[in-house]
Amino acid sequence: MLPVNFIRDNKEKVIKSLEIRNYTNFDILDQIIQMDTKRKNLQKELDEHLAEGNRIAAEIKELFKTGRGSEAGDKKKRGSELKTINAALKHELTETKAHLEDLLLQVPNCANDLVPPGQSDEDNQVYQAWTTDLPVMEGDALPHWELAKKYNLIDFELGAKITGAGFPVYIGKGARLQRALISFFLDEALEAGYTEYQVPYVVNEDSARGTGQLPDKEGQMYYSEKDDLYLIPTAEVPLTNIYRNVILKEKDFPVKLTGHTPCFRREAGSYGAHVRGLNRLHQFDKVEIVQIQHPDKSYEALKEMCGHVEGILQKLNLPYQILLLCGGDTGFASAITYDFETYSAAQERWLEVSSVSNFEIFQANRLKLRYKGADGKNHLVHTLNGSALALPRIMATLLENNQTAEGIKIPEVLQKYTGFDIIK
């Protein structure tokens, strides 16, 4: 959520930035400024009336103290009037604040100056291209959903029987490979200085709103109406909310968190080969990295986090490219996002496996997550997160790219976790 003072002081800059995102409802910015002016005026009027009431109360007390209580009639009457006026002002102020927040929640984050304009994912820019030849499979190479069936690694039909489409069941060496990837990703994060957390898989409304899932992605989240709780779409939500309503000290930076969770997303896309098998699921596992940073250091942290994801893909020997998302494809809460894609040789297409984003102050303002600066004042932090990594498409490309006549070879870095070097 953009701070209202930022919108007031930088309206033209905000408009220019939102244009990159193809956002057009600029009337809402005027409504926000008008509502904030109303809030300030109501608060000023209420403060003045409260001060008058306190002054009158003190004067009445003094009159009774000096034996002149009979003279307090008019003051008592005015004090009673003020209580009625103040009750009405408090009610109007509460409604005004709620309306103002509702307006602010509808405005996406400003895009960073580096974000290119564009309408959709077709306009994303290749930030770093794969420079060597892409792997080419033999003519009889199989996509991962057929490999999973051939080697009894993943059962999609069984998952559909138990729950529904998009909830696969991992079996035997498929389950061990999944667990190996999770352990490898977590160990890589720990080596990079992240602290591991095991967090809840369901969150309350405040947590979902704090990181920007609500109201923007409400339709994509599984919701338990009876308990008023949401299943998490990513570990970013509970990890970042650990620091909701917290004031940090400058010496606390950087805060680096990681965790593995299942992720739940209702919207799983359209039908066809491009979403078949593990390509898009309702439930999947992911290791997330989150940083809470001093604003002056957040873009250094973003570069570091991108390098972390690169390092993992290199160790897995997976071809990858990095995309800088255009304005039309950048998420509601993000100021800038880099997507990582690996190349599936069997499907002959790139598959997204990670997004690394800097949210700048957008999430922090919702979370009331601040730090006390050298000037003694509280300032908003910057928050960042990245997938390191999402497992389904990593699993897909590992199976497809490493299939041989003898079986599916396991990358060397995973063998100590799997206990085997090939799936036959």
Side-chain angles (χ1 to χ4, degrees):
M1 184 167 68
L2 296 175
V4 64
N5 287 339
F6 179 81
I7 295 174
R8 182 186 290 274
D9 297 339
N10 303 275
K11 182 182 172 184
E12 294 307 315
K13 179 180 178 181
V14 171
I15 290 174
K16 183 179 179 181
S17 174
L18 294 181
E19 284 176 341
I20 296 175
R21 307 179 66 106
N22 307 313
Y23 186 82
T24 58
N25 185 20
F26 299 122
D27 288 345
I28 199 171
L29 301 180
D30 292 324
Q31 295 174 41
I32 287 171
I33 293 171
Q34 292 167 8
M35 195 58 57
D36 186 50
T37 300
K38 180 180 178 181
R39 178 195 63 81
K40 289 180 177 180
N41 291 337
L42 285 170
Q43 188 66 61
K44 180 181 178 182
E45 187 177 358
L46 178 60
D47 290 344
E48 289 173 349
H49 285 160
L50 289 172
E52 183 183 355
N54 290 336
R55 186 171 63 253
I56 288 173
E59 291 172 353
I60 292 173
K61 182 178 179 180
E62 182 63 24
L63 286 173
F64 276 94
K65 184 178 179 181
T66 58
R68 295 182 294 155
S70 60
E71 302 176 17
D74 290 342
K75 295 185 183 297
K76 286 183 178 181
K77 182 180 178 181
R78 177 56 179 167
S80 179
E81 290 175 352
L82 285 172
K83 287 181 180 179
T84 301
I85 293 171
N86 290 344
L89 283 172
K90 287 179 181 178
H91 178 73
E92 188 176 5
L93 181 59
T94 298
E95 288 191 334
T96 300
K97 287 180 177 179
H99 189 190
L100 175 59
E101 182 173 4
D102 180 64
L103 292 171
L104 287 167
L105 288 172
Q106 298 176 48
V107 180
N109 199 0
C110 288
N112 182 274
D113 292 341
L114 296 173
V115 175
Q119 299 292 324
S120 68
D121 57 1
E122 295 181 356
D123 300 314
N124 293 335
Q125 293 185 0
V126 177
Y127 175 76
Q128 183 173 316
W130 184 252
T131 56
T132 57
D133 292 337
L134 292 171
V136 178
M137 308 302 296
E138 298 296 332
D140 58 351
L142 300 175
H144 69 271
W145 52 86
E146 293 187 23
L147 291 170
K149 185 174 183 178
K150 176 180 179 180
Y151 292 97
N152 194 29
L153 303 174
I154 308 166
D155 195 323
F156 296 100
E157 289 75 19
L158 183 57
K161 170 189 172 181
I162 296 170
T163 307
F167 295 88
V169 174
Y170 297 83
I171 303 168
K173 288 187 176 181
R176 289 172 66 183
L177 179 56
Q178 175 92 337
R179 178 157 50 91
L181 284 165
I182 293 167
S183 296
F184 171 57
F185 294 161
L186 284 172
D187 284 351
E188 288 292 298
L190 296 181
E191 188 174 334
Y194 291 85
T195 299
E196 182 179 356
Y197 287 80
Q198 289 188 353
V199 291
Y201 301 161
V202 292
V203 294
N204 56 35
E205 184 177 336
D206 287 341
S207 294
R209 184 184 296 108
T211 46
Q213 274 66 39
L214 295 180
D216 179 56
K217 295 182 175 64
E218 189 168 8
Q220 297 182 26
M221 300 175 71
Y222 284 98
Y223 175 61
S224 173
E225 185 174 358
K226 184 175 181 179
D227 302 300
D228 194 23
L229 295 173
Y230 295 84
L231 275 69
I232 60 171
T234 166
E236 167 205 345
V237 181
L239 285 173
T240 311
N241 271 278
I242 290 171
Y243 284 86
R244 176 155 47 92
N245 295 321
V246 169
I247 299 176
L248 298 169
K249 298 177 181 177
E250 289 201 64
K251 66 180 181 62
D252 295 328
F253 294 117
V255 177
K256 302 173 72 173
L257 311 91
T258 189
H260 155 251
T261 66
C263 304
F264 305 90
R265 299 184 184 179
R266 291 183 62 219
E267 191 281 312
S270 57
Y271 297 96
H274 66 290
V275 294
R276 193 172 176 183
L278 296 172
N279 287 347
R280 190 165 296 176
L281 302 173
H282 287 303
Q283 177 184 325
F284 59 93
D285 286 82
K286 182 153 67 86
V287 172
E288 195 80 358
I289 53 175
V290 169
Q291 287 204 35
I292 298 170
Q293 268 286 4
H294 189 286
D296 293 344
K297 300 288 187 179
S298 72
Y299 277 86
E300 292 179 25
L302 181 65
K303 182 178 180 181
E304 172 199 313
M305 293 170 75
C306 287
H308 178 78
V309 175
E310 278 193 83
I312 295 175
L313 293 172
Q314 290 169 359
K315 290 178 181 180
L316 292 173
N317 196 31
L318 290 176
Y320 66 91
Q321 66 179 7
I322 307 174
L323 304 181
L324 173 58
L325 300 196
C326 70
D329 200 33
T330 300
F332 183 89
S334 176
I336 186 170
T337 296
Y338 292 95
D339 271 5
F340 286 74
E341 298 181 332
T342 60
Y343 185 74
S344 162
Q347 299 180 64
E348 298 183 333
R349 55 188 292 259
W350 292 95
L351 302 176
E352 180 197 336
V353 294
S354 175
S355 289
V356 183
S357 301
N358 189 346
F359 302 97
E360 297 185 357
I361 62 172
F362 192 85
Q363 289 183 335
N365 192 38
R366 292 181 174 218
L367 295 161
K368 295 182 172 57
L369 171 51
R370 296 153 291 175
Y371 73 97
K372 189 172 290 294
D375 57 3
K377 298 179 180 179
N378 293 335
H379 304 274
L380 293 170
V381 304
H382 281 193
T383 60
L384 308 93
N385 85 277
S387 310
L389 288 157
L391 271 78
R393 294 171 187 168
I394 290 292
M395 175 78 85
T397 52
L398 281 177
L399 296 178
E400 293 173 355
N401 292 11
N402 292 295
Q403 59 183 300
T404 68
E406 292 77 30
I408 301 171
K409 294 183 177 180
I410 303 301
E412 186 176 348
V413 292
L414 294 179
Q415 292 173 15
K416 68 176 182 179
Y417 298 100
T418 59
F420 52 85
D421 59 6
I422 193 170
I423 298 173
K424 295 186 177 181

